[in-house]
């Protein structure tokens, strides 16, 4: 009965081929399932072939049945008479924002004019900012800064603060209630873990016993994300640096805090002009398929890239330094 | 200029506006509840609306997007008033409010509308009748008020019942009842001791479905999505009874041309150029039309299918606003 049927792999289950094995990226359930490369071939090259034909091509009965049983158990698809009504999902990437995320670094020596910074970021339709404070800032000063986002284009503001006894929970919760834009407030160097979520506006307050530095560029399955945004951005752009800008402690404009190259200073430059220059945006287009080793890795559309810490500092297309995975042996070293 | 009549906090509106901004097109947004907090003057003799310090000349507007404008009962003001004001007065306040929104809508009568306000109040039964007229299959449907017929129909086929107008959520002693589509079984009829006569209800034959189809329709274009919800009994009847941990599979779908053509005809007949539609692909291979939702949530179709709908809605609005529209953007 099912012999003449074809297998429909749901459009939200994306087969990705690696050097030694493949996987199915389940972008609706934020999950992934390893499959052998031969199954990848069946699901792509022979996508429209009936089960019968596939069995003939591979001269296998049981193994093919087992494959499809596995996929059905994982709810990745089902048998259909035809695939004509099931188009593939478009994996294009579109964004109306010149900048989607900005990082603003501040330490005690910073002389930021926040009104200027927020206005310039709004001018490039930035929708999310992350404010990283490296030194203590009094809560009342923080409130003044955040108040200046009132007229901005920002939908979310995330804030990192170094632990201080002044940042007691009740005061911080009150701060989150008063400032709806602030969705995530993280207090690092804290003595212990505390996580609370505000019911009213689902903002999060977190105390973590970590430091701020070196927290970037790590690669681990813990950080993998299997969703549509990640997939489409990774296929088309650099999934970390695309439409990102950093305003560093000294006001310099960079692609990210860990990059050395500077593109002028926010106090004196027109941000829109800077971030539309080819020299600034060239990293945005380095997608995983252009990066050596990563281009052979089955995780490439759910793995965060990093262009600041790379294995060969002379080759901007080299693999992220903090990745221990070897797709040619499938071992995490 | 594009006028957007919406509601504060509607994300789809925000995203479409982001694209309108991206294309540098002028627009003005009025949120229905603005009138509770802002100074408004609808100046009929001078054909203008004054909102706080903004003066909006009617003649500057070419296209109007009517989206979720004015569900008074969802507003905080209304919820508070319900406790403070006697019922009859509330009914009148509601009428006044509706008339006020209608006034605003009427002023722009001659403009290009994306969803005309007169078309949004659909009657499920009339729409089903029209669907049948244009040649779409519909489930056996009747409106009944007595148990005799139900008992008799149940011996012939499984049934479901749904609201004739909007689904709503009556609250009763802390229990939420939903008016979502439900199966009507003999045991349910017995259990709830269905009286001989009851308020007229919409009864439909239960279609054995292969999957559900949701269509977002805009200016003759259709963007469809199939929803596979059969795996779990909890979602078998209406996928809005959502299971969060294991979301239903929702995938891009292409309806046969003939069905698309009939849907275009149907939308024309009901006077809608935008909205979403529900269909069922039955186990026996037919496409059953179920209903039209005139203020369809297109984010729901957009998210799993990556149809780029917010940009497309923005482009449609811009096109309607200036009939001759640069090719560059349309491509
Ligand atoms: S090889 Fe590249 S894509 Fe694969 S896990 Fe490492 S960094 Fe990620």
């Amino acid at each position: 009965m099912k012999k003449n049927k074809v297998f429909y792999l749901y459009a939200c289950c994306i087969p990705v081929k690696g050097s030694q094995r493949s996987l199915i990226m389940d972008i609706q359930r934020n999950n992934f399932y390893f499959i052998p490369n031969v199954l990848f071939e069946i699901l792509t090259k022979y996508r429209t072939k009936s089960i019968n034909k596939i069995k003939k091509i591979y001269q296998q009965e049981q193994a093919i049945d087992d494959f499809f049983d596995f996929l059905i158990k994982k709810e990745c698809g089902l048998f259909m008479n035809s695939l004509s009504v099931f188009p593939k999902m478009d994996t294009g990437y579109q964004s109306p924002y010149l900048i989607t995320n900005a990082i603003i670094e501040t330490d005690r020596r910073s002389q930021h004019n926040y009104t200027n910074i927020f206005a310039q970021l709004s001018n490039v339709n930035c929708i999310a900012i992350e404010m990283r404070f490296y030194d203590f800032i009094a809560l009342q000063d923080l409130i003044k800064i955040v108040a200046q986002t009132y007229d901005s284009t920002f939908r979310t503001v995330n804030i990192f603060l170094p632990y201080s006894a002044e940042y007691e929970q009740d005061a911080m919760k009150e701060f989150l209630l008063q400032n709806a834009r602030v969705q995530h407030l993280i207090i690092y160097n804290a003595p212990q873990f505390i996580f609370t979520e505000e019911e009213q506006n689902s903002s999060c307050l977190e105390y973590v016993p970590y430091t701020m530095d070196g927290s970037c560029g790590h690669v681990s399955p813990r950080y993998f994300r299997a969703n549509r945004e990640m997939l489409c951005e990774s296929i088309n752009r650099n999934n970390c640096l695309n439409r990102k800008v950093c305003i560093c402690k000294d006001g310099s404009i960079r692609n990210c805090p860990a990059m050395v190259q500077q593109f002028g200073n926010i106090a004196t430059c027109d941000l829109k002009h800077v971030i539309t220059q080819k020299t600034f945006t060239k990293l945005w287009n380095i997608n995983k398929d252009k990066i050596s080793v990563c281009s052979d890795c089955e995780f490439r559309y759910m793995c965060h890239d990093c262009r600041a810490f790379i294995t060969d500092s002379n080759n901007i297309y080299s693999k992220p330094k903090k990745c221990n995975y070897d797709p040619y042996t499938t071992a995490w070293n | 200029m594009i006028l957007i009549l919406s509601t504060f906090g509607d994300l789809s509106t925000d995203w479409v506006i982001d694209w309108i901004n991206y294309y540098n097109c002028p627009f003005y947004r009025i949120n229905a509840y603005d009138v509770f907090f802002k100074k408004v003057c609808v100046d009929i003799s001078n054909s203008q609306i004054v909102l706080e310090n903004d003066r909006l000349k009617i003649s500057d507007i070419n296209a109007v997007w009517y989206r979720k404008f004015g569900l008074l009962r969802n507003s905080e003001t209304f919820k508070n008033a319900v406790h403070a004001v006697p019922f009859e007065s509330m009914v009148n306040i509601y009428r006044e409010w509706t008339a006020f929104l209608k006034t605003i809508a009427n002023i722009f009568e001659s403009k290009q509308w994306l969803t005309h306000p007169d078309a949004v109040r659909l009657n499920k039964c009339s729409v089903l009748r029209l669907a049948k007229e244009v040649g779409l299959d519909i489930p056996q449907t009747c409106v009944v008020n007595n148990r005799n017929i139900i008992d008799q129909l149940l011996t012939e086929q499984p049934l479901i019942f749904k609201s004739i107008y909007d689904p709503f959520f009556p609250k009763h002693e802390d229990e939420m009842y939903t008016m979502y589509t439900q199966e009507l079984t003999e045991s349910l009829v017995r259990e709830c001791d269905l009286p001989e006569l009851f308020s007229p209800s919409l009864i439909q034959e239960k279609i054995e479905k292969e999957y559900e189809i949701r269509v977002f329709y805009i200016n003759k274009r259709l963007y469809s999505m199939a929803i596979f919800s059969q795996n779990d009994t909890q979602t078998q009847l209406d996928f809005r009874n959502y299971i969060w941990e294991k979301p239903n599979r929702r995938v891009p779908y292409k309806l046969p041309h003939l069905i698309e053509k009939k849907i275009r005809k149907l939308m024309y007949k009901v006077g809608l150029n935008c909205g979403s539609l529900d269909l069922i692909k039955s186990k026996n291979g037919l496409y059953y039309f179920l209903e039209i939702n005139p203020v369809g949530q297109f984010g729901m179709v957009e998210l799993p299918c990556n149809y780029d709908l917010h940009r497309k809605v923005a482009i449609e609005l811009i096109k309607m606003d200036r009939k001759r529209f640069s090719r560059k953007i349309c491509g």
Side-chain angles (χ1 to χ4, degrees):
Chain A
M1 15 141 295
K2 77 176 187 202
K3 287 188 191 302
N4 293 319
K5 296 206 168 189
V6 287
F7 186 78
Y8 171 52
L9 183 70
Y10 293 129
C12 51
C13 292
I14 317 286
V16 185
K17 188 171 188 261
S19 164
Q20 301 301 313
R21 61 179 174 185
S22 300
L23 57 78
I24 286 173
M25 194 172 156
D26 186 340
I27 59 169
Q28 262 169 24
R29 296 182 180 169
N30 190 17
N31 208 343
F32 63 89
Y33 323 109
F34 290 114
I35 55 168
N37 279 351
V38 56
L39 184 49
F40 174 88
E41 189 179 65
I42 292 172
L43 292 172
T44 51
K45 191 168 162 197
Y46 301 123
R47 184 177 112 92
T48 53
K49 296 268 183 279
S50 70
I51 306 305
N52 242 353
K53 284 246 176 63
I54 292 173
K55 285 178 174 171
K56 268 203 198 109
I57 292 168
Y58 289 94
Q59 293 293 315
Q60 294 269 355
E61 273 280 327
Q62 194 56 44
I64 303 286
D65 281 336
D66 289 349
F67 277 160
F68 287 120
D69 281 349
F70 168 79
L71 293 176
I72 284 174
K73 225 177 259 147
K74 293 282 181 201
E75 296 182 41
C76 289
L78 32 85
F79 293 108
M80 289 280 169
N81 291 323
S82 137
L83 298 185
S84 59
V85 289
F86 294 108
K88 285 189 184 167
M89 190 190 77
D90 183 77
T91 51
Y93 172 85
Q94 305 277 359
S95 172
Y97 320 107
L98 281 173
I99 292 292
T100 50
N101 60 115
I103 297 172
I104 302 164
E105 294 188 302
T106 305
D107 69 7
R108 80 172 80 78
R109 281 182 301 275
S110 300
Q111 298 191 322
H112 291 326
N113 173 348
Y114 291 100
T115 317
N116 167 46
I117 294 177
F118 296 157
Q120 293 227 48
L121 284 170
S122 294
N123 192 35
V124 291
N125 323 68
C126 176
I127 44 165
I129 65 165
E130 183 178 300
M131 306 195 65
R132 296 184 182 175
F133 292 91
Y134 296 105
D135 291 311
F136 172 77
I137 173 167
L139 188 52
Q140 68 203 49
D141 292 332
L142 182 68
I143 291 171
K144 275 187 206 137
I145 294 173
V146 172
Q148 294 179 55
T149 63
Y150 181 77
D151 267 335
S152 71
T153 52
F154 314 148
R155 306 231 164 101
T156 56
V157 175
N158 292 341
I159 299 174
F160 285 85
L161 297 170
Y163 180 79
S164 144
E166 193 191 321
Y167 303 144
E168 41 143 10
Q169 267 196 67
D170 287 342
M172 296 327 259
K173 277 188 179 169
E174 184 57 31
F175 168 76
L176 284 173
L177 279 178
Q178 299 297 327
N179 296 277
R181 272 205 183 91
V182 182
Q183 278 177 6
H184 213 141
L185 180 58
I186 296 149
I187 296 166
Y188 60 94
N189 290 347
Q192 59 182 356
F193 255 121
I194 302 173
F195 178 90
T196 56
E197 191 175 340
E198 206 53 60
E199 253 180 54
Q200 221 169 304
N201 54 10
S202 71
S203 60
C204 301
L205 172 62
E206 236 182 309
Y207 292 78
V208 295
Y210 306 136
T211 56
M212 239 336 243
D213 26 82
S215 62
C216 206
H218 286 288
V219 172
S220 144
R222 266 202 305 158
Y223 304 124
F224 288 166
R225 276 196 302 136
N227 61 38
R228 190 197 69 168
E229 290 76 17
M230 186 69 176
L231 174 83
C232 296
E233 195 166 26
S234 306
I235 287 180
N236 298 284
R237 299 288 153 86
N238 186 282
N239 62 25
C240 180
L241 298 178
N242 184 35
R243 292 166 202 262
K244 184 198 280 278
V245 69
C246 177
I247 312 299
C248 295
K249 299 169 208 170
D250 56 359
S252 61
I253 302 168
R254 305 186 202 199
N255 285 111
C256 96
M259 293 296 229
V260 269
Q261 197 177 358
Q262 306 186 10
F263 299 84
N265 196 294
I266 190 78
T268 50
C269 291
D270 175 36
L271 183 70
K272 190 169 190 167
H273 178 76
V274 172
I275 59 110
T276 45
Q277 298 297 306
K278 280 233 164 59
T279 45
F280 189 83
T281 58
K282 74 169 193 274
L283 296 176
W284 294 5
N285 293 319
I286 302 184
N287 59 4
K288 282 282 189 190
D289 289 318
K290 290 184 185 146
I291 297 166
S292 56
V293 186
C294 293
S295 61
D296 288 326
C297 177
E298 59 275 20
F299 299 122
R300 65 188 176 280
Y301 300 137
M302 49 198 211
C303 169
H304 265 292
D305 192 47
C306 175
R307 290 296 93 203
F309 306 105
I310 48 182
T311 41
D312 175 0
S313 52
N314 292 318
N315 177 10
I316 195 63
Y317 294 100
S318 61
K319 182 192 167 191
K321 194 175 196 159
K322 298 183 190 174
C323 167
N324 301 325
Y325 183 65
D326 181 353
Y328 306 107
T329 61
T330 71
W332 291 91
N333 296 310
Chain B
M1 198 192 330
I2 301 166
L3 177 68
I4 298 167
L5 301 175
S6 183
T7 292
F8 176 78
D10 180 59
L11 284 177
S12 284
T13 307
D14 296 349
W15 287 328
V16 169
I17 285 178
D18 289 339
W19 279 110
I20 296 176
N21 263 329
Y22 174 87
Y23 289 123
N24 267 324
C25 294
F27 70 92
Y28 193 84
R29 175 177 181 165
I30 301 179
N31 292 321
Y33 308 150
D34 279 354
V35 294
F36 296 141
F37 314 107
K38 294 185 180 170
K39 294 180 196 132
V40 182
C41 172
V42 183
D43 184 348
I44 296 173
S45 31
N46 291 312
S47 300
Q48 61 180 13
I49 292 182
V50 184
L51 207 97
E52 295 281 315
N53 299 320
D54 299 334
R55 193 172 295 271
L56 200 64
K57 290 244 289 294
I58 311 290
S59 54
D60 287 344
I61 307 286
N62 294 316
V64 189
W65 186 24
Y66 183 82
R67 182 182 161 76
K68 293 196 174 172
F69 186 61
L71 277 171
L72 180 67
R73 66 183 134 103
N74 291 348
S75 73
E76 283 303 314
T77 311
F78 184 78
K79 282 172 195 160
N80 294 336
V82 168
H83 300 290
V85 180
F87 180 73
E88 298 92 75
S89 313
M90 218 50 230
V91 173
N92 275 317
I93 289 174
Y94 206 93
R95 284 204 193 118
E96 281 291 309
W97 169 259
T98 316
F100 165 72
L101 294 184
K102 185 108 181 124
T103 310
I104 294 196
N106 280 349
I107 289 179
F108 301 101
E109 185 59 49
S110 61
K111 311 293 182 187
Q112 299 264 342
W113 286 83
L114 194 66
T115 310
H116 198 281
D118 286 348
V120 299
R121 263 163 235 283
L122 292 180
N123 179 299
K124 259 182 208 163
C125 300
S126 330
V127 174
L128 280 166
R129 192 173 44 77
L130 288 171
K132 204 177 153 210
E133 262 176 46
V134 303
L136 287 163
D137 286 305
I138 60 167
Q140 298 276 5
T141 308
C142 56
V143 177
V144 296
N145 75 336
N146 64 85
R147 183 165 173 170
N148 279 2
I149 296 192
I150 294 215
D151 284 340
Q152 188 201 323
L153 285 172
L154 268 175
T155 59
E156 291 162 18
Q157 74 235 53
L159 297 177
I160 57 167
F161 66 93
K162 43 167 88 166
S163 60
I164 307 182
Y165 191 55
D166 271 340
F168 65 105
F169 310 91
K171 210 172 171 188
H172 174 67
E173 285 169 6
D174 285 339
E175 273 182 81
M176 276 286 256
Y177 292 90
T178 63
M179 285 287 290
Y180 283 157
T181 308
Q182 286 209 25
E183 184 162 0
L184 191 57
T185 56
E186 278 174 61
S187 61
L188 186 68
V189 169
R190 246 179 290 122
E191 246 172 60
C192 67
D193 202 9
L194 198 64
E196 281 312 315
L197 287 176
F198 46 85
S199 140
S201 305
L202 189 88
I203 307 290
Q204 249 173 9
E205 123 195 57
K206 183 190 166 199
I207 308 287
E208 282 301 321
K209 72 181 175 202
E210 194 178 350
Y211 42 82
E212 286 172 61
I213 298 163
R214 163 133 324 181
V215 183
F216 177 65
Y217 179 98
I218 179 163
N219 286 347
K220 300 203 174 68
R221 292 203 182 84
L222 288 85
Y223 301 93
S224 310
M225 166 175 91
I227 302 148
F228 291 87
S229 50
Q230 209 66 309
N231 290 354
D232 207 299
T233 44
Q234 197 192 330
T235 53
Q236 269 193 20
L237 281 170
D238 189 330
F239 73 94
R240 276 170 294 196
N241 296 329
Y242 209 77
I243 2 174
W244 284 105
E245 310 79 56
K246 267 200 173 185
N248 293 328
R249 294 310 195 174
R250 295 176 292 159
V251 295
Y253 194 78
K254 181 85 184 93
L255 281 166
H257 283 294
L258 196 61
I259 304 287
E260 291 202 340
K261 232 169 123 179
K262 289 172 179 171
I263 287 177
R264 283 190 197 101
K265 252 193 204 163
L266 173 64
M267 291 301 271
Y268 179 78
K269 283 205 169 195
V270 296
L272 282 169
N273 52 3
C274 185
S276 42
L277 300 95
D278 289 343
L279 290 94
I280 279 185
K281 168 85 187 300
S282 73
K283 286 224 167 103
N284 57 16
L286 292 178
Y287 290 94
Y288 284 95
F289 166 85
L290 296 184
E291 60 183 277
I292 299 175
N293 182 354
V295 279
Q297 276 291 19
F298 56 93
M300 198 181 183
V301 177
E302 156 69 14
L303 211 72
C305 302
N306 202 25
Y307 280 139
D308 199 14
L309 290 179
H310 296 101
R311 189 166 73 102
K312 283 174 178 150
V313 171
I315 290 175
E316 287 305 321
L317 284 167
I318 297 169
K319 271 201 236 170
M320 292 165 83
D321 192 46
R322 37 172 136 135
K323 277 286 176 153
R324 233 175 282 145
F325 185 60
S326 135
R327 290 224 145 170
K328 204 170 73 226
I329 311 179
C330 306

